[in-house]
Amino acid sequence: MEQHHNSETRTPLNSVAVQRRSKTKSYRLSYRSGIGAASRLGFTPGLTARRLNTSRKAPKSNNITEKVTKEQLALLVKTEWKLSYVTPLYQFRHTQLKSYSRQLSAFIAAEKQQGLAVDVEGTQNRFRVSFSLVQEMTESVDDAVTVFIQIHSKPLIVRQDEPQRPVWSGWLTCINGNLEYLRSLPKDFICLPLFCSSEAGGLTSVVKSWFQQSFDCCFGPLEISHTSLQWLMALWTNCHPESSIRQLKMIWTLPVEPQLQVTYTVNAEDAWQLWSSVRKENTAAAGEENSIDIEEVTSFMQGLKGHFFRHFRLDLSAGRLDEVSTALGSAKHSGRIKFSNSKYMITTLMLLTECALLKMPI
Amino acid sequence: MSRGFVYNILFRTGIVLSVYIRMSLLKPFSKLPGLNAANILLVECEEQFQKSLADALVEETAVTVYVRLAKSLPLPKENEESRPRIDLVVFIINLTSELSFQSAEASLKYLDPGYLLGKVCFMVTNARNASVPTERLDAVRKLAAALHCPLLFAEDQTPDGVTYATKRLLSILKVSAGLVPMATALYLSSLTSCTVPPDIDQPSFD
């Protein structure tokens, strides 16, 4: 995004090429007109104009099970994924997956020879990589198809009846990415900003360096901020009437001398009652698609914190929310996500894609 | 505008309570200033950064700096008589804790509106921390901009950071205490007050 802004300022104002990006250009103009001349020096406007959406559509149980096959879904749920953001990939073709698999396995073998620590049992294993596409896991037409990568280890002695369990798996995805941004990318660039990897030590870094070498992209850690965790709490609680969340569990860390960790578990029914009482005011024009505002989310959170304070005299605002988990999944502040139920995955992924796009430096 | 903001809060709390609050307001001009002296009040909920700042502030030699520390306002009534005139009130907000911001906001009610003419400053720490949601910094910015106060960013973990923060506070303090000729607190605050970009509330996407 920074690059585009710079190139915008150099083109003349009445050039036709700038028209397409008029919305982002207007951000820059409005910012400059509002502040005096002194602030124009050395300020990077791109950094302040980045916020999460303040209102979101309530999640519906997408019929994802109809679109994506059961086996592919089974690969995605029930594992804890570590999140990173990826900048757009240059010349990544969805048709050349086989050659990418071969290249990646050769790369891993080369790295092993160089002595890079890849901690697998036995040093004589070779690796077989498979790239696959998860079709139909997209929300809008402009999203690139999700790419799923698996690495199996090939022991020298293969027994026929042993099922091949993957040593490492990961996937790149983009769900409902910002349309304007996707269209403003130059051709040859594919945007798959969210990268999820299962933890297996050295293999993740090897895969990342292969991607960086082949497609000229950058990886970076993606944390789930406090606001995003609040959104996930609200969105998951909102799904309670359709599929029970069983309980809403939060883990807070308080900054006291021996560090205090608080696990705050709320019964699903009570969480739903609190949430519906917060939403009550806004169901006036109730239609199918109700949008949830950030104020409702913050008042939900305030209610939970106030209840805790009344009983324990501990204000949770002084601490940090580390983890949120329900029967639908769990999300950790350090950037780990787990889907336990495939029904509401799409909405969660939409939120995470937005976070990844916001954190990306371009 | 800034006066209206503080008075609004006072009127909302009811007549009797507003009288009570008025009595415990910190007033800027009710006492005489000292000779070649400056008094600064550091208000911080966590009470950590203010200690290292205070140690660095008192080392100033050109002016005698008296530093007072508080966790929140209102200040205790017992010291009311012996307390000198406070020239600058600094609210230190740690962005990693939401409680810090809420406590600073609550303390603002006990400040006489006269302070908002350049004798209040906001200092924010941990702004670069990755765990800080952007909304919190936005909220602090909006608060500082609404009150026309400067907003300083400080690094509290390294001694260099404390030194830089001290230097900036001293320059504002000297003006607020009237020790700089031809410069007043109101003049300085109109130059250095925080501004928010007009599109601060617009989400990046959609």
Side-chain angles (χ1 to χ4, degrees):
Chain A
M1 262 311 194
E2 307 273 339
Q3 271 182 352
H4 296 151
H5 281 182
N6 287 339
S7 62
E8 271 179 17
T9 53
R10 280 188 225 122
T11 54
L13 279 172
N14 47 9
S15 153
V16 180
V18 192
Q19 293 296 1
R20 201 174 46 151
R21 301 178 207 155
S22 57
K23 203 167 177 190
T24 50
K25 191 159 98 74
S26 75
Y27 282 175
R28 265 179 85 80
L29 279 184
S30 65
Y31 176 79
R32 286 179 163 207
S33 56
I35 303 206
S39 321
R40 278 191 217 175
L41 306 168
F43 192 85
T44 45
L47 289 175
T48 50
R50 298 195 161 192
R51 271 140 199 91
L52 282 183
N53 275 353
T54 45
S55 80
R56 247 163 243 292
K57 289 249 174 357
K60 9 184 240 279
S61 152
N62 298 73
N63 304 337
I64 189 175
T65 44
E66 294 176 10
K67 292 194 264 179
V68 184
T69 60
K70 271 208 168 35
E71 298 87 34
Q72 286 183 319
L73 268 185
L75 292 169
L76 297 175
V77 300
K78 303 260 192 290
T79 324
E80 186 164 68
W81 303 104
K82 175 107 180 58
L83 300 172
S84 335
Y85 66 83
V86 192
T87 55
L89 305 163
Y90 181 62
Q91 286 191 340
F92 178 88
R93 310 241 183 279
H94 289 276
T95 46
Q96 294 193 353
L97 296 182
K98 281 227 172 352
S99 89
Y100 293 152
S101 327
R102 267 180 276 124
Q103 288 174 26
L104 183 51
S105 32
F107 186 78
I108 298 180
E111 291 289 325
K112 272 197 73 173
Q113 281 211 327
Q114 277 181 16
L116 198 66
V118 176
D119 60 349
V120 206
E121 334 68 47
T123 47
Q124 285 153 9
N125 289 353
R126 291 194 338 264
F127 292 101
R128 175 174 68 86
V129 181
S130 69
F131 275 64
S132 53
L133 290 179
V134 185
Q135 301 280 4
E136 299 299 339
M137 203 164 101
T138 53
E139 180 75 6
S140 75
V141 187
D142 285 296
D143 288 339
V145 184
T146 306
V147 179
F148 189 78
I149 310 163
Q150 269 183 318
I151 301 186
H152 300 261
S153 86
K154 276 205 290 198
L156 286 183
I157 310 163
V158 176
R159 267 173 276 170
Q160 289 297 359
D161 49 352
E162 219 178 85
Q164 286 257 317
R165 281 192 65 234
V167 173
W168 183 93
S169 35
W171 41 300
L172 288 155
T173 180
C174 173
I175 308 277
N176 204 24
N178 181 235
L179 281 182
E180 224 179 83
Y181 177 68
L182 290 178
R183 284 183 196 147
S184 72
L185 286 176
K187 66 179 180 63
D188 285 343
F189 275 98
I190 294 224
C191 183
L192 285 162
L194 191 63
F195 176 64
C196 310
S197 58
S198 68
E199 311 255 60
L203 274 176
T204 315
S205 46
V206 172
V207 173
K208 282 187 186 172
S209 34
W210 179 76
F211 267 98
Q212 284 176 336
Q213 267 183 17
S214 322
F215 304 111
D216 193 25
C217 58
C218 282
F219 283 77
L222 180 67
E223 293 94 17
I224 308 185
S225 72
H226 178 76
T227 320
S228 315
L229 284 174
Q230 280 183 320
W231 269 114
L232 283 176
M233 251 171 57
L235 292 172
W236 280 335
T237 313
N238 199 47
C239 304
H240 178 69
E242 285 139 26
S243 74
S244 161
I245 61 174
R246 241 170 286 145
Q247 62 181 11
L248 172 65
K249 185 167 89 149
M250 292 172 272
I251 299 186
W252 294 78
T253 319
L254 291 167
V256 286
E257 244 334 272
Q259 228 187 32
L260 190 63
Q261 200 185 60
V262 175
T263 307
Y264 182 9
T265 311
V266 183
N267 194 8
E269 280 306 321
D270 301 329
W272 169 248
Q273 276 188 0
L274 179 63
W275 176 244
S276 50
S277 70
V278 167
R279 292 271 291 159
K280 206 170 40 179
E281 300 92 49
N282 292 35
T283 47
E288 270 304 315
E289 306 265 352
N290 248 342
S291 66
I292 307 178
D293 280 326
I294 184 81
E295 285 91 22
E296 293 169 1
V297 176
T298 36
S299 15
F300 180 55
M301 183 59 121
Q302 276 304 112
L304 289 170
K305 281 199 249 182
H307 178 81
F308 194 82
F309 185 72
R310 213 175 308 128
H311 285 269
F312 296 101
R313 290 283 152 209
L314 256 179
D315 196 346
L316 289 172
S317 310
R320 191 185 68 213
L321 179 57
D322 273 333
E323 182 181 340
V324 172
S325 70
T326 61
L328 295 175
S330 78
K332 293 197 182 130
H333 173 77
S334 53
R336 289 180 170 75
I337 185 101
K338 177 166 156 187
F339 303 103
S340 313
N341 191 333
S342 58
K343 276 204 239 168
Y344 298 97
M345 249 173 79
I346 291 284
T347 324
T348 316
L349 284 173
M350 265 182 1
L351 175 66
L352 293 174
T353 309
E354 225 176 271
C355 293
L357 279 173
L358 280 174
K359 192 152 187 224
M360 243 164 42
I362 298 183
Chain B
M1 285 166 289
S2 50
R3 280 175 202 258
F5 166 77
V6 182
Y7 281 162
N8 209 4
I9 295 182
L10 290 177
F11 286 133
R12 262 192 264 139
T13 50
I15 304 294
V16 174
L17 193 54
S18 75
V19 170
Y20 179 73
I21 290 178
R22 238 178 255 264
M23 289 200 312
S24 55
L25 279 183
L26 191 61
K27 296 199 168 55
F29 298 116
S30 52
K31 299 187 186 166
L32 291 174
L35 264 186
N36 204 31
N39 294 288
I40 185 171
L41 173 67
L42 301 174
V43 181
E44 183 188 5
C45 180
E46 286 84 24
E47 296 182 310
Q48 274 173 357
F49 187 32
Q50 56 183 197
K51 294 198 185 106
S52 36
L53 259 188
D55 291 330
L57 278 168
V58 295
E59 287 176 22
E60 167 71 12
T61 49
V63 176
T64 320
V65 179
Y66 297 100
V67 184
R68 300 183 89 89
L69 308 177
K71 186 173 158 118
S72 66
L73 297 178
L75 298 177
K77 277 215 288 285
E78 299 84 52
N79 303 353
E80 190 87 41
E81 297 307 319
S82 56
R83 198 183 301 134
R85 180 178 99 153
I86 304 282
D87 296 309
L88 182 65
V89 180
V90 183
F91 289 99
I92 301 178
I93 299 179
N94 184 356
L95 280 181
T96 50
S97 137
E98 203 173 321
L99 185 59
S100 199
F101 175 53
Q102 286 169 351
S103 140
E105 252 188 326
S107 300
L108 277 172
K109 288 189 245 175
Y110 296 95
L111 210 55
D112 186 87
Y115 269 106
L116 297 172
L117 300 171
K119 290 178 179 264
V120 172
C121 168
F122 286 91
M123 179 166 268
V124 157
T125 61
N126 280 323
R128 287 187 292 198
N129 198 320
S131 60
V132 166
T134 36
E135 289 76 15
R136 214 173 280 165
L137 181 56
D138 284 351
V140 176
R141 267 221 168 95
K142 283 191 213 163
L143 180 64
L147 301 176
H148 300 279
C149 299
L151 176 66
L152 302 177
F153 291 85
E155 147 84 73
D156 58 338
Q157 307 290 340
T158 60
D160 271 346
V162 175
T163 320
Y164 295 144
T166 313
K167 276 196 203 141
R168 299 165 77 194
L169 277 185
L170 277 172
S171 44
I172 303 183
L173 175 62
K174 284 182 196 165
V175 173
S176 306
L179 300 166
V180 177
M182 310 301 275
T184 61
L186 186 56
Y187 177 59
L188 185 65
S189 75
S190 63
L191 289 180
T192 57
S193 65
C194 182
T195 49
V196 292
D199 56 355
I200 193 170
D201 273 327
Q202 264 181 29
S204 243
F205 301 128
D206 232 317

